[in-house]
Amino acid sequence: MKKRSWAEPYKIKMVELLKMTTKEEREKAIAEAGFNTFLLKSEDVYIDLLTDSGVGAMSDRQWSGIMMGDEAYAGSRNFYHLRDTIEDYYSYKFTVPTHQGRGAENILSQILIKDGDYVPGNMYFTTTRLHQELAGGTFVDIIIDEAHDPVSPHPFKGNVDFNKLNQLVEKVGAKKIPYVCIATCVNMAGGQPISLENLRELKNWCSKHEILLVHDMTRVAENAYFIQQREEGYQDKSVKQIVHEICSLTDAATMSSKKDAMVNIGGFLAMNDEALYEKACELVVVYEGLHTYGGMAGRDMEALAIGITESVQDDHMAARIGQIAYLGECLEAEGVPIVKPYGGHAIFLDAKAILPNIPQSQYPAQALAAALYVESGIRAMERGVVSAGRNKETGEDHMPKLELVRLTIPRRVYTQAHMDVTAESVVEVMKNADQVKGLRFVYEPNMLRFFQGRFEQVG
């Protein structure tokens, strides 16, 4: 029997008209942007799959919450609503709002990391690793090997390899590890989840070694959905219940609320330890704002509190993950090499396999993202050598095993027809892969170079 079709659990109330461009106009635009899709003007983009951060469509309830903003400098009622919602849905007792996730990463890193420390995590994320390094720490990858294999069918590629973790303790000692940083739905691995079984084992390991367990919870609801669908014993649990269980196994969390919670701006640092909370309150005043707003307007805190409740609804999450799976199935049917299983927020194209003629030293993922824009007006982003940066000691490029282009799907923004156009455009670029040229830097920032770096074509 043919699989039944499904539709999004919402209806459209307002539309934003898009500008249509010619191929010649796009060739000029990408050249002016230095072949960096981050430097394109949004008005020149047709389907914007650069990121899912702060670009989702808020609900009517969230927009109504905007009108209830209490913009008091101190003690806004929206802060207390947000704080209580975070404890109810995520279990954490104390909340410090920040302007977005990297604000929370900065504060946490400064409090916990000392020079010479090591911070293990299930694959790096760009801003997280940078803040750890700026605080004097060294990131250590402890994710399972399957996470570095784009075609491995492992259902929980975000899992921790305890052999790697134990080897680190034997090498540097537990006192040199201030915390273990665990991400739910690991971005750089292709949006891959961690299992609750693995997380429980990690919690026990951290307790045994008296090491904090910190949760990068940007996409925790997506991870919870994968647990519901894939992990034995959770099929009858709601996404909301699983989210709460995930968070309750960790000691603290950083959150970029611009993803799961579907707001345009905002984040927070949350924890259960009061002493850690007091230190965070001292630093948030220096870098963000008072501890009851921390870089967020009252209206944005209200929209965030409402967004948290909507993010854990089962129907919403089934549609969210379903749209990514639909795009993945369209691409796979045409033989496009992608990361499998499909991730929670994006489909990741395997640039090495699509552009075998371009060596990794010429940034094939960056070149593929630029070529996709020229072909279709679709803006994607690189997740490979450019994002990995350089070894701070040797100056050489880090050469990750995964050289990917991320097709990131904003929440509640695009239709299935947009996914069809995206798939057809990727296929067209792949057919003409031999025409895509490698790139080299003409301007390279010292930090987070993928945001502002500029390139020129090689040959």
Side-chain angles (χ1 to χ4, degrees):
M1 181 177 176
K2 183 182 176 183
K3 185 178 177 181
R4 290 286 298 270
S5 298
W6 60 274
E8 295 82 354
Y10 53 82
K11 60 183 180 181
I12 297 168
K13 283 191 174 184
M14 184 178 73
V15 297
E16 177 184 350
L17 300 182
L18 299 175
K19 172 184 173 183
M20 308 300 289
T21 57
T22 66
K23 189 170 185 177
E24 290 72 23
E25 288 172 331
R26 295 192 294 272
E27 287 173 338
K28 180 181 178 183
I30 197 67
E32 290 177 349
F35 296 90
N36 186 344
T37 53
F38 274 97
L39 300 181
L40 290 166
K41 296 177 181 177
S42 67
E43 66 178 14
D44 294 329
V45 174
Y46 173 39
I47 300 175
D48 202 343
L49 307 183
L50 183 76
T51 182
D52 60 334
S53 181
V55 294
M58 291 202 300
S59 69
D60 51 359
R61 292 179 65 248
Q62 286 180 286
W63 280 110
S64 68
I66 290 282
M67 301 306 296
M68 295 188 291
D70 173 9
E71 305 307 337
Y73 186 89
S76 165
R77 65 174 175 270
N78 307 121
F79 164 74
Y80 295 106
H81 182 202
L82 174 60
R83 180 200 65 182
D84 294 345
T85 302
I86 289 170
E87 183 171 6
D88 185 20
Y89 282 77
Y90 297 149
S91 83
Y92 304 111
K93 295 178 182 178
F94 303 104
T95 296
V96 177
T98 58
H99 75 284
Q100 59 185 62
R102 68 196 62 174
E105 293 169 353
N106 174 44
I107 292 169
L108 184 76
S109 297
Q110 291 203 43
I111 293 172
L112 295 181
I113 298 174
K114 305 183 300 296
D115 279 339
D117 280 347
Y118 294 82
V119 185
N122 57 343
M123 200 173 283
Y124 83 98
F125 184 67
T126 51
T127 59
T128 313
R129 185 180 67 183
L130 177 61
H131 284 301
Q132 292 166 354
E133 291 175 347
L134 290 174
T138 299
F139 169 80
V140 180
D141 189 3
I142 56 166
I143 205 166
I144 59 175
D145 290 341
E146 289 88 342
H148 296 282
D149 179 359
V151 299
S152 169
H154 196 293
F156 292 103
K157 287 184 176 179
N159 282 358
V160 165
D161 184 330
F162 288 94
N163 288 329
K164 296 178 182 178
L165 198 50
N166 289 326
Q167 287 170 7
L168 178 63
V169 171
E170 291 173 6
K171 179 181 178 182
V172 306
K175 291 185 179 180
K176 282 285 188 180
I177 303 174
Y179 63 91
V180 175
C181 184
I182 203 73
T184 37
C185 269
V186 182
N187 190 350
M188 305 300 284
Q192 301 297 315
I194 183 173
S195 71
L196 265 170
E197 180 184 21
N198 188 261
L199 185 58
R200 274 195 219 92
E201 187 177 354
L202 180 60
K203 175 63 174 176
N204 292 334
W205 187 95
C206 287
S207 297
K208 175 185 174 183
H209 291 85
E210 298 182 338
I211 295 172
L212 289 177
L213 180 53
V214 173
H215 180 195
D216 177 351
M217 61 176 295
T218 294
R219 298 181 177 90
V220 64
E222 293 170 3
N223 200 114
Y225 180 81
F226 283 127
I227 288 171
Q228 183 192 68
Q229 300 299 308
R230 298 176 184 174
E231 191 162 358
E232 186 176 354
Y234 285 90
Q235 283 66 43
D236 295 328
K237 297 279 189 180
S238 68
V239 169
K240 177 183 176 182
Q241 289 172 315
I242 298 170
V243 164
H244 193 278
E245 185 171 348
I246 291 170
C247 296
S248 68
L249 291 170
T250 64
D251 299 304
T254 59
M255 175 67 154
S256 172
S257 305
K258 299 162 65 177
K259 284 82 169 177
D260 260 359
M262 297 169 287
V263 290
N264 301 127
I265 197 68
F268 58 80
L269 173 61
M271 68 286 286
N272 293 316
D273 182 79
E274 190 168 6
L276 179 59
Y277 171 66
E278 289 174 353
K279 291 179 181 177
C281 287
E282 292 175 8
L283 280 185
V284 77
V285 177
V286 177
Y287 293 105
E288 301 280 326
L290 196 65
H291 65 286
T292 54
Y293 76 87
M296 293 182 69
R299 56 183 176 267
D300 292 318
M301 288 190 284
E302 189 66 25
L304 170 52
I306 296 168
I308 289 170
T309 70
E310 294 180 357
S311 72
V312 298
Q313 293 172 359
D314 287 65
D315 287 344
H316 159 70
M317 196 50 63
R320 164 71 177 155
I321 304 298
Q323 190 172 50
I324 281 94
Y326 177 83
L327 175 58
E329 289 165 1
C330 291
L331 290 167
E332 202 170 359
E334 295 294 330
V336 178
I338 60 176
V339 172
K340 295 168 62 179
Y342 310 137
H345 66 296
I347 291 296
F348 289 72
L349 307 176
D350 186 347
K352 278 184 182 178
I354 294 173
L355 301 177
N357 56 310
I358 299 178
Q360 205 171 7
S361 60
Q362 292 182 10
Y363 312 120
Q366 190 77 31
L368 180 58
L372 179 60
Y373 171 74
V374 171
E375 168 61 35
S376 60
I378 295 170
R379 174 159 64 170
M381 74 167 295
E382 181 268 1
R383 278 298 183 225
V385 180
V386 177
S387 292
R390 294 187 183 274
N391 184 304
K392 60 183 179 181
E393 295 178 357
T394 67
E396 297 296 317
D397 280 327
H398 287 296
M399 290 290 181
K401 293 182 180 178
L402 297 176
E403 182 73 14
L404 309 175
V405 169
R406 192 179 76 181
L407 305 174
T408 333
I409 313 303
R411 293 160 184 81
R412 306 190 292 205
V413 171
Y414 292 118
T415 66
Q416 299 300 78
H418 290 105
M419 299 301 101
D420 291 333
V421 170
T422 300
E424 292 165 7
S425 301
V426 171
V427 170
E428 194 62 28
V429 172
M430 190 171 72
K431 287 179 180 177
N432 298 291
D434 60 341
Q435 298 178 25
V436 179
K437 297 178 180 180
L439 300 172
R440 58 174 167 244
F441 273 104
V442 293
Y443 167 67
E444 181 179 354
N446 291 324
M447 295 182 289
L448 301 176
R449 61 184 185 173
F450 63 93
F451 281 129
Q452 295 173 319
R454 302 181 73 87
F455 305 82
E456 65 181 7
Q457 291 182 322
V458 176

